[in-house]
Amino acid sequence: QTVVTQEASFSVSPGGTVTLTCALRSGSVSSNNYPSWYQQTPGQTPRTLIFNTTARSSGVPDRFSGSILGNKAALTITGAQAGDESHYYCALYFSSAIWVFGGGTKLTVL
Amino acid sequence: QVQLVESGGGVALPGGSLRLSCAASGFTFNISGMHWARQAPGRGLEWVAHIRFEGYNKYYADSVKGRFTISRDNAKNTVYLHLSSLRPEDTAVYYCAKNWFHGFVYGGQGTQVTVSS
């Protein structure tokens, strides 16, 4: 069974920078997994932030960026704002045509 | 702008069935792969199923394989998810999403499925 792991929670100060990661319990994440990132506040539909590792979705500010860091996918938020407080999920694609979401990171801005 | 309207959710008995629908607009549906994903109460997102643009190739998460069936009608710009042999753990909000570079573009509010006796 493929397991995708994310930090359960993270805190960042307003104006600060935070990097959330998305890893495989076994193996490395690469661009071939087409990592994507989603922001979701409770009770709301997820919003796509990043697709295809680094591409920002339409309307997403450039404070949000995606990358591969070592053997993980990463989402970096710079200049954190109160409105960034949310849950963040990554998703990975596997060539057997399955997709797996990570468990999500709850980001607190304080 | 991608717009997706999910419907068909409700309360079902364990072992029962439901059919979810997702009406799409704002993009060229007949060349787009589509997904269903779900979110159980207080839990994270889970991918459920994918159907390619032509409607023949379909893929499922292990948790629903053999019980759920994804289909589409390109003439109606609609994707469906037939849920059968329902279990309490299938209780969730179900979202459809457009496939984009192997990611998910959501556009609706989801539809609630509750499996309970």
Side-chain angles (χ1 to χ4, degrees), chain A residues 34-104:
Chain A
Y34 295 84
S36 53
W37 291 90
Y38 307 87
Q39 178 189 54
Q40 187 184 36
T41 52
Q44 299 300 310
T45 301
R47 171 196 183 197
T48 308
L49 297 175
I50 301 289
F51 60 93
N52 197 16
T53 308
T54 62
R56 265 185 300 276
S57 190
S58 176
V60 174
D62 59 8
R63 301 186 299 105
F64 295 86
S65 62
S67 64
I68 298 289
L69 287 180
N71 61 352
K72 301 178 183 180
L75 174 71
T76 299
I77 307 171
T78 59
Q81 303 175 359
D84 298 335
E85 190 160 291
S86 192
H87 283 86
Y88 292 84
Y89 295 93
C90 68
L92 300 178
Y93 166 76
F94 297 88
S95 58
S96 50
I98 67 164
W99 284 259
V100 181
F101 283 94

Side-chain angles (χ1 to χ4, degrees), chain B residues 5-113:
Chain B
V5 179
E6 301 96 338
S7 62
V11 180
L13 293 171
S17 300
L18 283 173
R19 189 181 82 156
L20 308 183
S21 299
C22 171
S25 61
F27 63 99
T28 307
F29 182 78
N30 62 6
I31 61 170
S32 299
M34 297 294 294
H35 297 279
W36 285 95
R38 67 185 181 182
Q39 188 168 34
R43 304 293 296 275
L45 296 166
E46 180 187 15
W47 171 73
V48 172
H50 173 71
I51 186 168
R52 292 195 63 190
F53 70 97
E54 83 289 318
Y56 297 117
N57 293 290
K58 308 172 186 182
Y59 308 92
Y60 300 92
D62 286 346
S63 58
V64 306
K65 200 173 293 183
R67 301 188 300 120
F68 290 9
T69 302
I70 189 170
S71 61
R72 64 191 295 159
D73 185 337
N74 284 348
K76 295 183 178 180
N77 281 10
T78 301
V79 61
Y80 304 96
L81 187 68
H82 185 250
L83 293 65
S84 63
S85 302
L86 281 163
R87 305 167 180 168
E89 56 265 35
D90 295 320
T91 295
V93 176
Y94 284 73
Y95 297 100
C96 69
K98 172 180 178 279
N99 184 67
W100 186 247
F101 283 93
H102 296 304
F104 302 77
V105 179
Y106 299 91
Q109 295 301 309
T111 187
Q112 174 72 48
V113 171

